[in-house]
């Protein structure tokens, strides 16, 4: 197989802070690039084709599926989203690490295909806190918020697919902790340690604390706040 770039997946329920964390990573970690996904959803105000997403019709997306162009794709809330397989070659060519902001279905597919991909899952501290954040965002109707909360429970149940679990109590601390994970993994596989000089001890401790093996008990507590499955 051709050489692969390092791949970092950031996933988590809607309202878990993914977008901010990904923006932080791209700024703070050298030589990273964002994997711009394809989607059939309509652009929101302020979004630019080719920057947040490549916006395409469902027909075009389905043609791309038929041509097996996607590394992964999934239906999220009735829209299709996918990572084009070509981003791997592009990152490799430009000597960049790839950062993917994708849902849990996509994370599972990428992990199955690229065993070296590192997957980080962001969690809200509780259902109540996630609901408060979604309401404060003011983007969704109460019906959509109810659906997002139900979806969040199902997503959190799949935490087993992830290498690291980060509970987002404080967005700034969460950004630093995910940065620590990425920096430590880069250092472990040969990137220059210069980027973390002086912060190495703290980064190693933060990354170790987020390992799934260490945090999975806390996830059970968070899942309890979501109540039992209504499926
Ligand atoms: P939004 O429409 O709010 O930007 O994103 C909705 C969800 O789709 C988010 O959970 C986001 O992480 C996910 N998503 C974005 N791009 C992709 C992709 O290429 N593949 C998959 N599987 N999910 C994606």
């Amino acid at each position: 197989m051709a050489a692969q770039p390092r791949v970092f997946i950031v996933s988590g329920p809607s309202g878990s802070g993914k977008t901010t964390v990904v923006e932080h990573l791209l700024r703070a970690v050298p030589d990273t690039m964002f994997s711009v996904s394809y989607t059939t959803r309509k652009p929101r105000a302020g979004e630019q084709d080719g920057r947040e997403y490549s916006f395409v019709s469902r027909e075009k997306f389905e043609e791309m599926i038929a041509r097996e162009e996607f590394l992964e794709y999934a239906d999220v809330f009735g829209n299709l989203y996918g990572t084009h397989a070509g981003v791997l070659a592009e990152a490799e060519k430009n000597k960049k690490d790839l950062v993917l902001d994708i849902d849990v279905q996509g994370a599972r597919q990428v992990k199955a295909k690229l065993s070296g991909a590192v997957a980080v899952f962001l969690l809200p501290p509780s259902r109540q806190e996630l609901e408060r954040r979604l309401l404060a965002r003011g983007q969704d109707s109460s019906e959509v918020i109810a659906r997002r909360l139900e979806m969040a429970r199902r997503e959190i149940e799949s935490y087993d697919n992830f290498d690291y679990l980060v509970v987002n109590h404080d967005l700034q601390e969460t950004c630093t902790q995910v940065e620590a994970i990425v920096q430590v993994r880069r250092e472990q596989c040969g990137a220059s340690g210069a980027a973390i000089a002086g912060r190495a001890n703290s980064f190693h401790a933060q990354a170790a604390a987020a390992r799934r093996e260490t945090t999975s008990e806390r996830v059970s507590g968070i899942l309890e706040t979501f109540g039992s499955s209504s499926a």
Side-chain angles (χ1 to χ4, degrees):
M1 202 201 259
Q4 298 287 349
R6 284 183 283 259
V7 172
F8 296 99
I9 302 168
V10 180
S11 203
S14 179
S16 61
K18 265 180 307 187
T19 309
T20 308
V21 166
V22 166
E23 282 169 1
H24 173 79
L25 283 182
L26 295 169
R27 262 198 319 271
V29 185
D31 301 322
T32 45
M33 71 173 252
F34 180 58
S35 163
V36 178
S37 296
Y38 283 78
T39 183
T40 61
R41 92 148 157 72
K42 298 275 169 284
R44 296 192 187 117
E47 288 183 333
Q48 230 177 65
D49 189 33
R51 189 178 61 187
E52 284 81 9
Y53 287 102
S54 291
F55 295 96
V56 294
S57 66
R58 184 167 276 264
E59 189 187 6
K60 168 104 196 282
F61 198 103
E62 283 169 355
E63 282 168 19
M64 293 170 74
I65 296 174
R67 288 198 297 265
E68 301 186 354
E69 289 184 26
F70 289 113
L71 173 64
E72 63 74 33
Y73 68 91
D75 184 318
V76 186
F77 285 123
N79 291 306
L80 295 169
Y81 293 82
T83 306
H84 198 280
V87 292
L88 292 174
E90 195 188 333
E92 183 60 28
K93 192 177 100 208
N94 295 312
K95 301 197 168 28
K96 302 274 191 198
D97 293 347
L98 259 186
V99 179
L100 272 56
D101 169 347
I102 59 178
D103 87 321
V104 297
Q105 308 168 72
R108 190 179 305 124
Q109 294 173 52
V110 174
K111 287 288 283 178
K113 285 189 183 161
L114 308 174
S115 55
V118 175
V120 181
F121 190 65
L122 302 183
L123 297 108
S126 66
R127 181 191 191 282
Q128 291 70 17
E129 177 58 18
L130 182 61
E131 184 171 14
R132 197 192 63 73
R133 289 181 192 173
L134 289 170
L135 282 166
R137 201 162 75 167
Q139 191 180 291
D140 303 315
S141 65
S142 54
E143 194 201 344
V144 172
I145 289 182
R147 269 173 54 206
R148 289 200 192 282
L149 290 169
E150 172 56 19
M151 177 89 149
R153 188 185 52 71
R154 273 189 255 147
E155 289 182 325
I156 296 169
E157 279 172 351
S158 73
Y159 71 88
D160 243 10
N161 292 302
F162 292 84
D163 305 296
Y164 295 93
L165 309 171
V166 176
V167 183
N168 179 5
H169 292 282
D170 174 277
L171 196 48
Q172 208 167 341
E173 281 170 20
T174 299
C175 286
T176 310
Q177 190 163 16
V178 179
E179 180 191 346
I181 294 165
V182 170
Q183 298 276 26
V184 166
R185 295 298 289 237
R186 278 164 54 89
E187 190 196 32
Q188 282 166 352
C189 51
S192 157
I196 63 170
R199 295 193 292 170
N201 285 346
S202 152
F203 274 177
H204 279 275
Q206 290 193 64
R211 289 202 64 87
R212 187 187 64 230
E213 299 78 9
T214 318
T215 40
S216 57
E217 250 177 54
R218 286 169 67 201
V219 176
S220 313
I222 292 171
L223 260 175
E224 275 172 25
T225 69
F226 279 80
S228 60
S229 166
S230 61

